[in-house]
Amino acid sequence: MSASAAAAPSPGRTRAFLRLVMIEHSVFALPFAYIASLTAMFRQDGRVDWWKLFLVTVAMVGLRTFAMACNRIIDREIDARNPRTAGRELVTGAVSVRSAWTGALVAVVVFLGAAGLLNPLCLALAPIAVIPMVVYPYGKRFTDFPHAILGLAQAMGPVGAWLAVTGSWSNDAVVLGLAVGIWIGGFDLIFGCQDVAADRAHGVKSTPARFGIPAALYGARVCHVITTALLVWYGLMVHAGAFFWVGMTVVAVAFVYEHTIVRPHDLSRLNRAFFTVNGVIGIALFLFALADLVNRGLGW
């Protein structure tokens, strides 16, 4: 075997790294970045700029991959003490810490490269987007509200996507970003409920661990009511048409269903609420928002 072949990452290691960063969960943030990008393109010249859309995709996936890799690296000792997370790749040794840092470095370079190709403002602001991604995993060591840090990190996606297209600030994108941040912060409250016993045992901070599961689920409901209101506000700001409002109906029904199947004393369907329902929310609203933009004249 040649030295270059030995140095190359094996397919098995690559797959293990992709499992580590849960690459498929990009589905939660990407649809809203696309909504922002396509709406900005519609306003700008009425046509899809495929190159910019591609760069937005690369930037979003790169930044999220970096964030997840950092999260797993920083939390590896906490994960080892929690039965739910003890099988994660950094704990079992399927991925080495060195490999994880290498993957994180590659991902952040890809993100910065895509930002630079988009426009100078995106590149200048890119470090600001990186900071909360690194702070979030440390948050559970010093605050009972690390979910808010995650929400702030995710709120930057739509704002950055709008800046990528126009190179300028937009209140519309800020409202959409707030909706995304509060939505993701809310379902992180739900997700954190399954770790209450382990978190309390090992001094890990979270809202469910500090205030209890019923309070956390109530907080998630409030977050998702606010999310719905912000999405309605966004729709009004961009003069959305009928398709968008049909999508909003789907989102509202999905939120009601999500909070119906997860109860303080029955978390058996939590993964369905977290993975399936929230995936449906993002994809459904994107598809209906896209249909609305096309119906209003967005060209290909």
Side-chain angles (χ1 to χ4, degrees):
M1 182 183 294
S2 68
S4 60
S10 69
R13 290 180 180 178
T14 300
R15 285 194 295 270
F17 178 77
L18 293 177
R19 288 197 303 272
L20 175 78
V21 300
M22 304 177 77
I23 194 71
E24 68 277 9
H25 287 189
S26 299
V27 71
F28 293 141
L30 268 176
F32 292 91
Y34 288 153
I35 291 172
S37 297
L38 292 170
T39 303
M41 291 172 189
F42 173 70
R43 284 193 171 178
Q44 197 169 51
D45 58 17
R47 300 194 64 81
V48 176
D49 185 326
W50 292 102
W51 175 239
K52 285 186 178 179
L53 199 62
F54 170 74
L55 290 176
V56 166
T57 304
V58 171
M60 290 289 293
V61 174
L63 183 58
R64 190 200 164 277
T65 300
F66 168 77
M68 283 296 295
C70 288
N71 191 318
R72 295 293 190 253
I73 294 166
I74 294 165
D75 279 353
R76 64 188 185 280
E77 293 182 2
I78 292 175
D79 288 344
R81 297 193 294 266
N82 184 336
R84 183 182 68 82
T85 57
R88 285 179 174 170
E89 288 75 12
L90 279 173
V91 178
T92 64
V95 176
S96 68
V97 175
R98 181 178 179 180
S99 294
W101 275 124
T102 300
L105 179 61
V106 170
V108 78
V109 168
V110 167
F111 164 66
L112 293 173
L117 289 171
L118 281 162
N119 57 61
L121 181 60
C122 281
L123 181 58
L125 296 177
I128 297 175
V130 171
I131 292 170
M133 303 298 180
V134 178
V135 172
Y136 167 64
Y138 287 110
K140 59 185 67 122
R141 293 159 171 83
F142 64 81
T143 177
D144 293 322
F145 306 99
H147 327 278
I149 302 173
L150 177 63
L152 174 63
Q154 298 298 326
M156 294 185 182
V159 177
W162 194 290
L163 287 171
V165 174
T166 66
S168 60
W169 189 261
S170 167
N171 291 334
D172 300 348
V174 172
V175 171
L176 183 59
L178 286 173
V180 172
I182 294 172
W183 167 54
I184 291 179
F187 75 64
D188 195 51
L189 284 174
I190 298 174
F191 193 69
C193 288
Q194 63 191 319
D195 293 328
V196 167
D199 287 350
R200 287 174 175 171
H202 301 294
V204 178
K205 295 179 179 293
S206 74
T207 299
R210 173 65 177 83
F211 299 102
I213 292 174
L217 293 180
Y218 179 79
R221 292 189 194 102
V222 172
C223 285
H224 292 159
V225 169
I226 295 172
T227 297
T228 304
L230 286 169
L231 289 173
V232 169
W233 187 12
Y234 170 78
L236 294 173
M237 291 176 76
V238 300
H239 307 290
F243 282 109
F244 179 87
W245 299 113
V246 173
M248 277 303 307
T249 302
V250 173
V251 169
V253 170
F255 276 143
V256 171
Y257 175 70
E258 178 178 34
H259 290 283
T260 299
I261 64 174
V262 179
R263 298 187 177 278
H265 303 293
D266 181 9
L267 301 178
S268 61
R269 292 180 288 183
L270 186 146
N271 281 338
R272 185 192 304 178
F274 183 80
F275 297 111
T276 306
V277 177
N278 286 298
V280 166
I281 286 171
I283 293 171
L285 189 59
F286 164 65
L287 291 176
F288 280 104
L290 175 61
D292 184 61
L293 288 169
V294 172
N295 186 57
R296 293 162 60 196
L298 178 67
W300 304 101

